[in-house]
Amino acid sequence: MKKEIHIFFTALMFFTRIPCPKWVNHDPKYLRLSSKYFPLVGIIIGGIGATVFYVTSLLFSLEIAVLLSMVATIYTTGAFHEDGLADVCDGFGGGWSKDKILLIMKDSRLGTYGTAGLVFILSLKFAALRETEVYYIPLVLVSGHSLSRFIATTLIFTHPYVRDTDDSKAKPAAKSMSIQMLMISGVFGIAPLLLFKNPWIFLTLIPMYLSKMFLGVKFKKWIGGQTGDCAGAVQQLSEVVFYLTIIALWKYIW
């Protein structure tokens, strides 16, 4: 149990800015096992966003409350996954070979493709949450953050890590994942959906996984696998797909 607590706090420290006990560090031994708690960290991040939304919605308009909830989640993660999405957009937008794509993705500077990708993904996220039934927005935020992180772990499971350098902080977390770790990730990722008390909600898994497959095909074709940035891009895209699917379900099925 002590070891699992250490692994969880390692995941929390790596994926967020939330303070952790001093005895927790980025030990590769624990970091390699931390991805199974990726969705649980998502529940916490989504919970922070949901809390900020609920409190600020009592004071401000719906639009301001949604924006502040987005700011809260981005601040909590240090824009960790948004940065991954931007790197992927720059790399695959400007690169023409595996080496060039990986080189661009490692560059800390933000390019045109990355800027466009961030603008579009954040705009879609805001617009989709704005269209969501107000009563459900807190639950949708928690579910979106947890489930999208589970989808990201499926990329780690199905696609090999391709960087051959040892200077990447994300390498231990993105390098490998066992079936047992994936199952634990799935339990935490899917659990919030049970709170909707409607079996139709599980249909959201289909388009979310299809979005992962779409990106996964491109990753496999151009670089032969995935990196931590690729997992971040999958998380961002599948989160938005979840919100859009929720809207479609309410409109045509619920």
Side-chain angles (χ1 to χ4, degrees):
M1 178 59 72
K2 183 178 180 180
K3 178 181 177 181
E4 290 302 316
I5 292 175
H6 195 149
I7 295 171
F8 165 70
F9 276 120
T10 300
L12 193 66
M13 171 179 281
F14 186 75
F15 292 117
T16 76
R17 288 176 166 176
I18 297 174
C20 292
K22 293 183 179 180
W23 44 265
V24 179
N25 54 41
H26 292 99
D27 187 333
K29 177 179 65 176
Y30 292 108
L31 191 56
R32 182 178 62 83
L33 301 172
S34 67
S35 54
K36 62 185 174 183
Y37 292 122
F38 196 11
L40 179 56
V41 173
I43 291 176
I44 295 172
I45 295 168
I48 291 172
T51 301
V52 170
F53 171 80
Y54 176 76
V55 172
T56 57
S57 66
L58 300 176
L59 304 172
F60 310 113
S61 67
L62 175 61
E63 290 79 9
I64 292 177
V66 168
L67 279 173
L68 289 176
S69 72
M70 291 172 59
V71 170
T73 57
I74 291 174
Y75 178 79
T76 301
T77 63
F80 190 81
H81 311 301
E82 288 81 4
D83 179 66
L85 172 73
D87 286 342
V88 166
C89 290
D90 280 334
F92 285 82
W96 57 87
S97 68
K98 175 181 176 179
D99 290 341
K100 187 64 176 179
I101 291 171
L102 292 176
L103 180 63
I104 294 174
M105 288 170 64
K106 195 170 180 60
D107 193 329
S108 60
R109 292 171 295 183
L110 181 63
T112 302
Y113 291 106
T115 301
L118 285 175
V119 169
F120 283 125
I121 206 76
L122 293 175
S123 297
L124 268 175
K125 191 178 298 188
F126 169 77
L129 288 170
R130 174 64 182 80
E131 291 294 320
T132 303
E133 295 287 339
V134 177
Y135 176 79
Y136 282 101
I137 288 180
L139 180 54
V140 167
L141 282 168
V142 174
S143 302
H145 280 276
S146 66
L147 197 54
S148 63
R149 282 161 173 79
F150 166 58
I151 297 297
T153 61
T154 67
L155 180 76
I156 300 173
F157 181 76
T158 59
H159 288 62
Y161 187 81
V162 296
R163 286 197 185 278
D164 56 5
T165 58
D166 294 322
D167 58 350
S168 172
K169 291 183 178 180
K171 182 176 180 178
K175 190 173 182 180
S176 63
M177 192 170 200
S178 66
I179 185 64
Q180 292 83 0
M181 291 170 61
L182 184 67
M183 292 175 64
I184 293 172
S185 173
V187 169
F188 287 122
I190 296 172
L193 297 183
L194 299 174
L195 299 177
F196 283 91
K197 298 180 180 180
N198 189 321
W200 289 112
I201 190 65
F202 291 96
L203 288 178
T204 57
L205 288 165
I206 299 174
M208 291 181 75
Y209 195 76
L210 288 175
S211 70
K212 173 259 180 176
M213 291 180 63
F214 170 75
L215 289 181
V217 168
K218 290 186 175 297
F219 297 154
K220 186 68 174 179
K221 176 182 177 180
W222 289 100
I223 62 175
Q226 55 85 22
T227 68
D229 287 332
C230 295
V234 168
Q235 186 278 318
Q236 285 290 292
L237 179 60
S238 61
E239 181 187 346
V240 169
V241 168
F242 175 76
Y243 299 148
L244 295 174
T245 306
I246 287 287
I247 296 172
L249 287 175
W250 272 323
K251 186 173 182 179
Y252 295 106
I253 297 180
W254 284 12

